[in-house]
Amino acid sequence: MTQPCDGLDGLEAKKCCALADYEISADYESMMLDAFRNFEPSDAAYVQISEECTSKKRKLAETKVCSTIDYHHNEDSCTMSPYVYKRLLLEEGILEIPDPPPPKEITEECKAMRFLVWTRNTKDFNAGHSHKGFSYTCAVWEAIQLNRTLVIDTFSGMGKVYTGLDFTVEVPHTLWYSLTPLKTLPNGGLIYSEYEQLCGALGVLSEEKGEIEMIYSNVTHKELLDKSNVPVIVRNWEYGKNQLKYGYQICRKPKEPSKEKLYFYKEPGVDYSVPTAYKWPRYANWMQRIASDIDEMLNKSLENGKIDPPVCLHVRRGEKLKSIEKYPNLEKETNPDGIYEILSQFLKPRSTIYIASNESNPKRFFAPLESSFNVVTLGHLPKLIQVSEFLPSTLALIDYAVLAKCKRLIPTFKDENSKGFEYHLSLSESNK
């Protein structure tokens, strides 16, 4: 069986392997975006697409020719990092500027605009949703401060540590998050695939002409403000010295610099606050609809105050059970018996409780509570959501959207806020 790039060596072999890898990513990126447009929200399709794509990339990397060459690829990830990946392929002659070039009027129009492109930080890309939210919020903050249109990654990922799989699951950004905070920014915002249809197409603007400038995380805010004449600033994370590790460090800085990072501190006179309306993550619209349906269902039994409002429990277990020194009693406090001990003190029999938990199968694990209460988890609601179609991290987002609507809430830890009670309640005596 003939393998791609057979018979080639040297530079031609490198170009062949890199182009083959690029074409795999390009094909599967299109497949992901088509799936988003044509199918109901679900992670399962993207798990399959990500697995097929990374499998093809790994097989390419193991071929006789490509296995001996250092070409630009990431076998664990399918989608391409905005701007920097194609830039690298252009530099090495693997991709070429289209001929004829874009019309001059498009170039002139784009030169008059001001963009901030936050290209991919792999550590943020593969992180959990809360981490992503902090980093996206800093991207929003920077775009507001620089008076620029923000451009973010078309895709979002969930790394192996969160999925238990041996590849990153990648999805269109809009599967998990709403674009409302992006689109309502003072200067608006775009996902990268939209930007590529506008000013990000190959050949429209160039670094050589000073129309695009790559910047690193060790530049000061003042230095960025001084680049107001540059149409496109690309914040690059993967290359360069003295880089910050995470995107959220851009606006969540210490008051004083450290010896290792003299540039990393809150600069005098800079307002690092972000208006609430623009903070991330804002969950996708379909998640909000499901959360609203669940909230309505939980409250439909209320009749003139004769039945107490439902109580929502946020039960943190999972990896925290391993930290026995920090949470010595968490297993007992968050198992069905421990929860019953708390709830039975103030809830009437058959009261409704909604349980949001990172336990692997909440419906089954908390089933013993059903003899005393009307227990609801996402697993109890197959008409609203098929939990088997989603990653645990996505189910957590839906749970969080439900918890935000709850009038009565009991958290796991003592230093977390409860809601709707005359006094503070928590399942555990430990602090988070």
Side-chain angles (χ1 to χ4, degrees), residues 21 33 53 151 154 161 170 201 205 218 222 248 268 276 336-337 400-401 405 432:
D21 183 82
L33 295 175
C53 178
V151 181
T154 304
V161 69
E170 292 161 278
L205 300 174
N218 56 354
K222 183 181 181 306
Y248 67 77
T276 303
D337 289 340
Y400 280 124
K405 297 178 181 294
K432 183 179 177 181

Side-chain angles (χ1 to χ4, degrees), residues 29-52:
E29 282 191 352
S30 296
M31 197 180 298
M32 288 184 191
L33 295 175
D34 286 342
F36 181 77
R37 285 189 288 265
N38 299 321
F39 298 101
E40 289 295 313
S42 164
D43 288 333
Y46 302 100
V47 171
Q48 182 179 346
I49 291 171
S50 298
E51 183 175 25
E52 288 178 1

Side-chain angles (χ1 to χ4, degrees), residues 379-391:
H380 288 87
L381 306 170
K383 291 184 179 180
L384 288 179
I385 183 168
Q386 293 290 330
V387 295
S388 61
E389 292 288 304
F390 295 91
L391 296 170

Side-chain angles (χ1 to χ4, degrees), residues 215-410:
I215 54 124
Y216 302 97
S217 58
N218 56 354
V219 300
T220 66
H221 186 65
K222 183 181 181 306
E223 287 174 318
L224 290 180
L225 289 172
D226 290 341
K227 298 182 185 298
S228 60
N229 62 319
V230 180
V232 182
I233 289 177
V234 180
R235 183 172 275 291
N236 182 24
W237 300 95
E238 306 297 328
Y239 309 96
K241 296 180 179 179
N242 297 322
Q243 287 279 66
L244 295 177
K245 198 172 183 180
Y246 304 113
Y248 67 77
Q249 293 175 302
I250 293 297
C251 68
R252 296 167 66 92
K253 297 181 177 181
K255 292 182 179 180
E256 301 294 335
S258 66
K259 292 180 180 179
E260 295 78 20
K261 295 178 180 177
L262 296 176
Y263 55 90
F264 180 44
Y265 67 99
K266 286 188 175 180
E267 297 170 45
V270 178
D271 180 6
Y272 287 91
S273 63
V274 180
T276 303
Y278 301 128
K279 288 186 178 179
W280 244 291
R282 185 80 63 85
Y283 310 132
N285 294 338
W286 67 268
M287 294 183 188
Q288 295 290 354
R289 287 194 296 270
I290 289 177
S292 295
D293 289 344
I294 293 174
D295 184 63
E296 182 179 348
M297 182 272 298
L298 292 174
N299 287 282
K300 71 179 180 180
S301 300
L302 295 176
E303 298 176 1
N304 300 320
K306 292 180 181 179
I307 300 176
D308 290 335
V311 173
C312 294
L313 308 178
H314 189 191
V315 186
R316 295 175 183 266
R317 290 175 58 82
E319 76 287 345
K320 293 193 181 296
L321 294 177
K322 299 176 184 178
S323 303
I324 297 175
E325 290 187 7
K326 188 173 183 180
Y327 311 116
N329 301 310
L330 190 61
E331 164 57 37
K332 181 179 178 181
E333 292 166 331
T334 59
N335 67 28
D337 289 340
I339 291 173
Y340 176 79
E341 189 175 328
I342 295 288
L343 298 185
S344 61
Q345 298 177 36
F346 60 90
L347 279 190
K348 299 173 184 177
R350 311 316 309 163
S351 293
T352 296
I353 60 173
Y354 179 85
I355 301 178
S357 177
N358 60 350
E359 181 64 38
S360 60
N361 189 330
K363 180 182 177 182
R364 182 175 60 200
F365 183 79
F366 296 108
L369 288 168
E370 294 179 6
S371 62
S372 303
F373 306 107
N374 175 29
V375 178
V376 182
T377 68
L378 290 179
H380 288 87
L381 306 170
K383 291 184 179 180
L384 288 179
I385 183 168
Q386 293 290 330
V387 295
S388 61
E389 292 288 304
F390 295 91
L391 296 170
S393 53
T394 306
L395 297 176
L397 289 183
I398 301 171
D399 271 338
Y400 280 124
V402 174
L403 294 179
K405 297 178 181 294
C406 291
K407 295 179 176 63
R408 298 205 294 173
L409 171 67
I410 301 176

